[in-house]
Amino acid sequence: MTTTPPTSPRAELRQRLLSARQAWAQGPAAPAAQAALDKRLAEVLAQLEPDCLGLYWPMKGEFNPRDAARTAQSAWGSRLALPYAEKTPVAMHFRPWSGEAPTVVDACGIPSTEGKPVVPDVVLVPCVGFTAEGYRLGYGGGYFDRFLADHPGVTAIGLAWDEGLLTRDALAPQAHDIRLMAVVTPSQIWG
């Protein structure tokens, strides 16, 4: 007899939110939310004027930050970088990115780029879920938390859809969770 191992409350929450997000991202409200989040993020980045902006290649219904990347390049001459994750040991660093379609896939199967590691001064972090205080629920690997713990001077901005807002009871921060400076959604800035 085969038994299924129990899943953690966070894993169950993550799966529920990912399923809901993917369904929502294919619906009629998604394009307007993308445009609203683009506008709000541009306002935040205008205050920060990053020298090097770390972002991510969108997947699973995430906000697509490519327009923000183009704005950062043209408005402030920002360099861009994409994360590159390794499984053994578990680690993540950023590599320079031109803004074109990524040509490399990292050890986790996520599109990335080639090049020597760089440390962005501002990093955009995808959120599966988040709290009003700036804590995030990610994909469960701890890659961004490890990177941010190793680089405490980096400004971390979460990006999420409003539907990912969680109460502090639903997502109680754990010792390894790194609080983001802010979480930007289509409707407001949290944190």
Side-chain angles (χ1 to χ4, degrees), residues 41 45 53-56 65 68 94 122-126 144 155-159:
L41 178 57
L45 292 177
L53 177 64
L55 51 151
Y56 58 88
F94 282 81
V122 177
V123 173
L124 303 180
V125 184
F144 275 96
T155 299
I157 306 294
L159 300 176

Side-chain angles (χ1 to χ4, degrees), residues 37 40 44 127 129-136 156-168 179-191:
L37 185 44
R40 194 166 307 283
V44 170
C127 301
F130 69 97
T131 67
E133 298 84 17
Y135 289 99
R136 83 183 259 276
I157 306 294
L159 300 176
W161 303 120
D162 290 301
E163 291 74 10
L165 178 62
L166 300 167
T167 65
R168 187 143 181 169
R179 186 172 180 235
L180 304 171
M181 186 190 93
V183 176
V184 182
T185 69
S187 70
Q188 73 182 72
I189 299 169
W190 301 87

Side-chain angles (χ1 to χ4, degrees), residues 63-82:
F63 167 75
N64 186 342
R66 288 183 76 187
D67 284 346
R70 289 184 190 103
T71 298
Q73 280 182 310
S74 64
W76 311 292
S78 301
R79 295 173 293 129
L80 305 176
L82 285 179

Side-chain angles (χ1 to χ4, degrees), residues 96-182:
W97 180 47
S98 67
E100 299 299 319
T103 57
V104 173
V105 175
D106 70 16
C108 295
I110 299 169
S112 188
T113 187
E114 296 185 52
K116 293 182 180 180
V118 297
V119 179
D121 55 312
V122 177
V123 173
L124 303 180
V125 184
C127 301
V128 174
F130 69 97
T131 67
E133 298 84 17
Y135 289 99
R136 83 183 259 276
L137 179 67
Y139 291 95
Y143 288 93
F144 275 96
D145 285 327
R146 283 181 180 88
F147 176 84
L148 294 172
D150 289 342
H151 301 90
V154 170
T155 299
I157 306 294
L159 300 176
W161 303 120
D162 290 301
E163 291 74 10
L165 178 62
L166 300 167
T167 65
R168 187 143 181 169
D169 289 338
L171 183 67
Q174 297 177 344
H176 65 272
D177 290 332
I178 303 291
R179 186 172 180 235
L180 304 171
M181 186 190 93

